[in-house]
Structures are given as structure tokens and as C-alpha cells.
Amino acid sequence: MSYNDIVGTIGVGVILIAYFMNIFSFIKKDGVLFYVMNIIGASLACYASILINYLPFIILEATWAMVSVLGLVKVLKKND
């Protein structure tokens, strides 16, 4: 397994774990952990997409990470 495969697999894995945990109510969909896991996972997947120079997934994962950052900011402001 190459470096970019490892990074991408970890990133996608983190996103899928966050999704699983949310679906089975282990974490809240509007909770800090959900957003942080999505930010980390999408950022890693985006980086892996950059490494293989695959633009569609660079756009997808960068957008996913940015939307998750906005969601996290919204939750943090709400909790203040």
C-alpha cells in the first residue's frame, strides 16, 4: 500500500466512523466530535487526492472539510 493510499484510507475511515457513530446515536449530528472527525477525515482524503492529482475528489473533500468547519463554528458559537 502506498503512502497516498494509507492517508486516503485513514481519511475515509474517519469519515465513515463518524457517520456510523452518528447513525447509531453514539454521537450527535450537531456535536463537536462529529464535525471534528469530518474535518480531519475530509482533510486527509483531500490531501490524498492532491497526492494523486485527482481534481474531482480534491474539490469534493475540500468542500466537505470547509462545510464541516463552518458547522463546527456554528456549534461553538451556539454553545457560548
Side-chain angles (χ1 to χ4, degrees):
M1 201 178 229
S2 66
Y3 174 72
N4 47 312
D5 289 334
I6 293 168
V7 172
T9 300
I10 292 169
V12 170
V14 172
I15 292 170
L16 290 174
I17 290 168
Y19 180 70
F20 174 85
M21 290 174 68
N22 170 255
I23 292 297
F24 291 98
S25 301
F26 294 115
I27 59 176
K28 292 190 258 180
K29 70 177 179 180
D30 58 347
V32 171
L33 182 59
F34 182 70
Y35 287 116
V36 168
M37 290 179 75
N38 273 283
I39 292 165
I40 292 168
S43 297
L44 287 171
C46 183
Y47 175 57
S49 298
I50 290 168
L51 291 174
I52 64 171
N53 197 29
Y54 193 61
L55 188 58
F57 279 99
I58 294 170
I59 294 167
L60 173 68
E61 298 300 344
T63 302
W64 191 309
M66 287 186 287
V67 169
S68 296
V69 167
L70 292 174
L72 179 60
V73 168
K74 181 180 173 183
V75 166
L76 292 175
K77 283 185 178 182
K78 179 180 164 186
N79 289 341
D80 281 341

